[in-house]
Amino acid sequence: MHPATRVLLVIALATVLARASMAQVAIAGVLVAGLLPWRDAPGWRRLARGLWQLKFLFLSIAVLYLFLTPGQALWPGGEPGAVPSREGLAEGLLRVFALAALVAAVHWLMRSQSRADLIAGLGWVLRPLRLVGLDVDRVAVRLVLTLETVPRLRVMVAATRRDWARGSPWRQPAVFGARVFARAMVHAERRPPPRVWVPHDVRPPLWQLTPVVGVTAALLFWF
């Protein structure tokens, strides 16, 4: 599959998941799982670790929908329009599963191709923005390097938390953030600057783009 097609596929998935039903989210999850290579055990462990580290975000989303969406009471005998509600629980779970499917899709996008291919795909998708004077190649490179830096930053946060002398680091968030920032700056100064090759004149075949656009339009306008 062409790199630009992969990028457009993830963008289309994010667009559909923004208004999808639980059945569509389940189908999207199955499709993303089918794209991930089953024999890539390190990749599956990395995805599971990434989803687990988002547990508090998932919990926050579920709680917000649960207690801010009025509807049928969660327990029998409750008044109509009460909170927490069954509608809030259903909507919260829907948003959590949709976000998990999108995280898995981004994971597939990052692991299924090289850095150069990903930059080429992003550059082609962002090409129309050149009309407004945007340096598309620079934006694509920075976006890819940022995505590659996130796992390293996660390691730095964990290391800073282990080095905390006593007490909980979350009681002093400013000091903790300053220590993480200092560790990141030291890492950036010691690490040699990456050499990035930016491919040009990369165009995906039409037979790959047509199904992505067609299916996305069908899901958005007919379901």
Side-chain angles (χ1 to χ4, degrees):
M1 188 182 298
H2 192 276
T5 307
R6 295 173 187 266
V7 174
L8 286 175
L9 187 61
V10 173
I11 295 175
L13 179 66
T15 304
V16 171
L17 288 177
R19 51 179 298 182
S21 64
M22 184 62 78
Q24 291 173 334
V25 170
I27 294 174
V30 172
L31 292 177
V32 173
L35 291 174
L36 296 172
W38 289 98
R39 297 183 179 180
D40 184 14
W44 282 98
R45 286 195 296 268
R46 184 174 179 178
L47 174 59
R49 185 167 57 251
L51 292 173
W52 174 251
Q53 291 173 343
L54 293 174
K55 58 183 179 296
F56 292 116
L57 175 61
F58 293 150
L59 180 61
S60 300
I61 293 173
V63 170
L64 284 175
Y65 276 98
L66 180 63
F67 287 95
L68 294 180
T69 306
Q72 187 177 359
L74 193 59
W75 47 80
E79 298 180 358
V83 290
S85 65
R86 297 182 182 180
E87 290 82 358
L89 178 61
E91 189 67 22
L93 292 178
L94 173 63
R95 293 300 104 207
V96 168
F97 290 144
L99 181 57
L102 185 58
V103 170
V106 173
H107 172 81
W108 164 75
L109 182 67
M110 295 292 296
R111 290 189 65 89
S112 62
Q113 54 194 338
S114 65
R115 174 193 289 174
D117 289 338
L118 184 55
I119 292 174
L122 284 171
W124 188 88
V125 173
L126 298 174
R127 184 172 297 182
L129 297 179
R130 289 179 177 175
L131 298 175
V132 296
L134 184 68
D135 189 341
V136 172
D137 292 338
R138 184 182 297 273
V139 172
V141 170
R142 287 187 176 181
L143 181 58
V144 171
L145 292 180
T146 300
L147 291 174
E148 291 179 350
T149 304
V150 170
R152 300 190 186 99
L153 183 61
R154 189 182 301 126
V155 173
M156 296 175 196
V157 171
T160 304
R161 187 170 52 195
R162 287 195 302 268
D163 295 343
W164 202 264
R166 54 185 175 178
S168 172
W170 313 118
R171 295 180 180 177
Q172 296 177 295
V175 178
F176 182 72
R179 292 189 182 183
V180 174
F181 179 76
R183 189 184 293 267
M185 292 299 296
V186 171
H187 175 78
E189 292 175 356
R190 293 179 179 177
R191 186 170 179 261
R195 300 180 62 183
V196 180
W197 174 60
V198 181
H200 293 281
D201 299 328
V202 180
R203 181 177 302 176
L206 186 61
W207 66 268
Q208 289 187 5
L209 293 179
T210 303
V212 174
V213 175
V215 172
T216 304
L219 289 175
L220 288 176
F221 296 106
W222 281 282
F223 291 93

